[in-house]
Amino acid sequence: MTELIDRLQTGDTLSDGEWRFLIEGGYDRQQLFEKADEVRRQYYGKDVYIRGLIEISSFCNNDCYYCGIRKSNDKAERYRLTEEEILQCCGEGYRLGFRTFVLQGGEDAYYTTERVKNVVSAIKSKYPDCAVTLSLGERPRGDYEIWYQAGADRYLLRHETASRVHYEKLHPPYQRFAERMACLQALKEIGYQTGAGFMVGSPFQGTAELIADMRFLQAFLPQMVGIGPFIPHRDTPFAEYPAGSLERTLTMVALTRLMLPKALIPATTALGTIHPQGRELGLKAGANVVMPNLSPVSVRGQYSLYDNKICTGEEAAECVECLRRRVAAAGYEVVTDRGDAV
Ligand code: 5AD
Ligand code: FES
């Protein structure tokens, strides 16, 4: 195991059998997590970056089979925030120590090129010391360019799975794997700090698919990688599938840290949802970012991607305080910083 980890860190290509061993082998996981933590500390010390997540719209034109806000879910409650509401969230976030705001939403045509551009400009002129991250799905390259010009710094677009065949089992036919990949490529070329990522334990995912994810990350070299367990949502086609496992998710986080030592890797809300200490365990397995919710409490419950999501009742200030305590108890420290990749 230690020899494989050394090779992973030097950027070696591993064989299928070697990857399979790292992902599912019967070795001591604690040792893997400790090694990942050691690497994380080399670059980032015990700093944990916080990102203020603002869920700007629960309308979505996509129909991903796993997601609770998919357009075919008639039971989903829909809302969208106005520019003014978004700016209020940022104001509150700034006071609480956030220096990155993440605007995330479904693929919602209401958020036109212009509307997003205006809100990005407004945030950047009011908070020039802050980074703005967008997570608004697949858009024409021209939109990405205009928003980048307006000051957006980063973009999160999980690839979801690097296997085309698997991608087609998770999405309707008109959502194209090639288009997803083209968007990621465009974001990177434009100059965004780009985030990719995947769910662990999504339906039809086996070790081969996870190997494809790791090889994709190794080639694409994203600055950010979001990894969380799949969690079923009751009103989706995948309602009856089991959630991804804690151990498998932590393993993928740790392997990602070792392969991409400088990456920004969140301990995701989904991880905190499948286990009461999930986010803390994520940090101890190599994650170095947490993304507390800054959305107004009145809409929190409506941004329901999966069942039993945590932190839907808490005010932003409570969430941040809670996370500061949790992060400190785990042996790390939340810092007031934009938290760019080193
Ligand atoms: N379980 C876990 N993660 C999910 N996402 C969407 N639906 C689910 C689910 N049921 C993730 C996707 C998406 C991100 C915003 O949330 O990976 O990219
Ligand atoms: Fe939200 Fe603990 S992080 S309540």
Side-chain angles (χ1 to χ4, degrees):
M1 194 269 280
T2 27
E3 186 239 320
L4 280 180
I5 285 177
D6 288 343
R7 288 185 38 219
L8 191 57
Q9 286 184 267
T10 56
D12 245 16
T13 23
L14 304 190
S15 70
D16 283 5
E18 289 164 338
W19 271 121
R20 191 165 288 276
F21 175 76
L22 286 174
I23 295 169
E24 55 180 43
Y27 61 90
D28 179 8
R29 285 292 182 280
Q30 215 47 50
Q31 216 184 319
L32 174 74
F33 301 156
E34 279 164 22
K35 189 74 195 158
D37 185 51
E38 192 183 305
V39 169
R40 162 260 170 43
R41 282 176 196 262
Q42 257 167 37
Y43 290 99
Y44 292 103
K46 54 187 173 65
D47 291 1
V48 170
Y49 301 126
I50 49 174
R51 318 299 196 196
L53 183 64
I54 308 173
E55 295 153 337
I56 69 169
S57 174
S58 71
F59 285 87
C60 193
N61 194 35
N62 276 347
D63 224 11
C64 310
Y65 300 147
Y66 44 85
C67 182
I69 65 167
R70 61 198 299 269
K71 75 166 164 202
S72 296
N73 181 9
D74 303 329
K75 294 191 184 149
E77 296 172 52
R78 310 289 178 176
Y79 73 91
R80 50 174 76 93
L81 303 181
T82 62
E83 176 171 331
E84 196 190 327
E85 289 171 313
I86 295 169
L87 287 166
Q88 271 168 15
C89 293
C90 295
E92 167 80 347
Y94 194 88
R95 280 188 294 279
L96 294 169
F98 289 91
R99 295 299 178 266
T100 292
F101 302 115
V102 181
L103 274 45
Q104 185 172 86
E107 293 192 15
D108 179 2
Y110 170 86
Y111 275 101
T112 56
T113 315
E114 275 306 295
R115 282 204 173 99
V116 175
K117 175 183 165 219
N118 291 340
V119 75
V120 169
S121 306
I123 297 172
K124 292 296 284 195
S125 66
K126 204 156 175 206
Y127 307 102
D129 54 336
C130 290
V132 170
T133 304
L134 298 176
S135 180
L136 302 172
E138 296 174 24
R139 303 282 296 222
R141 185 186 177 112
D143 285 5
Y144 292 156
E145 281 167 351
I146 288 166
W147 301 340
Y148 187 75
Q149 290 307 319
D153 304 272
R154 313 188 185 125
Y155 204 102
L156 305 176
L157 183 70
R158 289 189 179 178
H159 64 284
E160 311 295 359
T161 172
S163 150
R164 182 183 56 77
V165 173
H166 186 215
Y167 195 91
E168 290 169 359
K169 293 178 183 168
L170 302 180
H171 304 95
Y174 56 85
Q175 287 179 237
R176 312 293 299 179
F177 177 70
E179 188 52 38
R180 193 81 173 177
M181 289 293 157
C183 284
L184 279 163
Q185 202 55 50
L187 290 164
K188 198 172 172 198
E189 283 168 17
I190 291 166
Y192 283 98
Q193 297 173 46
T194 304
F198 55 97
M199 291 178 288
V200 176
S202 58
F204 317 112
Q205 180 189 69
T207 303
E209 285 70 29
L210 289 170
I211 295 173
D213 288 322
M214 296 309 282
R215 288 190 175 138
F216 167 72
L217 294 178
Q218 195 169 34
F220 185 70
L221 301 174
Q223 281 88 359
M224 292 95 75
V225 187
I227 300 171
F230 161 75
I231 303 174
H233 185 289
R234 61 189 176 284
D235 301 317
T236 63
F238 291 165
E240 304 302 327
Y241 284 88
S245 84
L246 176 70
E247 173 160 285
R248 174 74 53 115
T249 308
L250 296 175
T251 299
M252 300 318 293
V253 167
L255 292 173
T256 302
R257 168 61 62 208
L258 292 164
M259 192 174 72
L260 304 176
K262 300 177 184 174
L264 295 157
I265 304 177
T268 56
T269 305
L271 200 44
T273 297
I274 59 163
H275 188 281
Q277 298 288 310
R279 289 168 298 179
E280 291 87 332
L281 293 167
L283 295 173
K284 291 180 181 175
N288 62 336
V289 169
V290 288
M291 301 174 68
N293 204 314
L294 280 183
S295 310
V297 175
S298 56
V299 302
R300 287 273 180 97
Q302 297 174 43
Y303 198 79
S304 174
L305 307 184
Y306 47 80
D307 289 337
N308 306 315
K309 188 175 168 202
I310 54 168
C311 300
T312 50
E314 282 79 6
E315 292 290 344
E318 296 177 71
C319 255
V320 174
E321 251 333 288
C322 170
L323 262 175
R324 275 186 208 282
R325 266 184 277 115
R326 285 170 175 263
V327 166
Y332 305 93
E333 189 192 354
V334 166
V335 293
T336 298
D337 193 293
R338 273 174 53 118
D340 291 291
V342 297

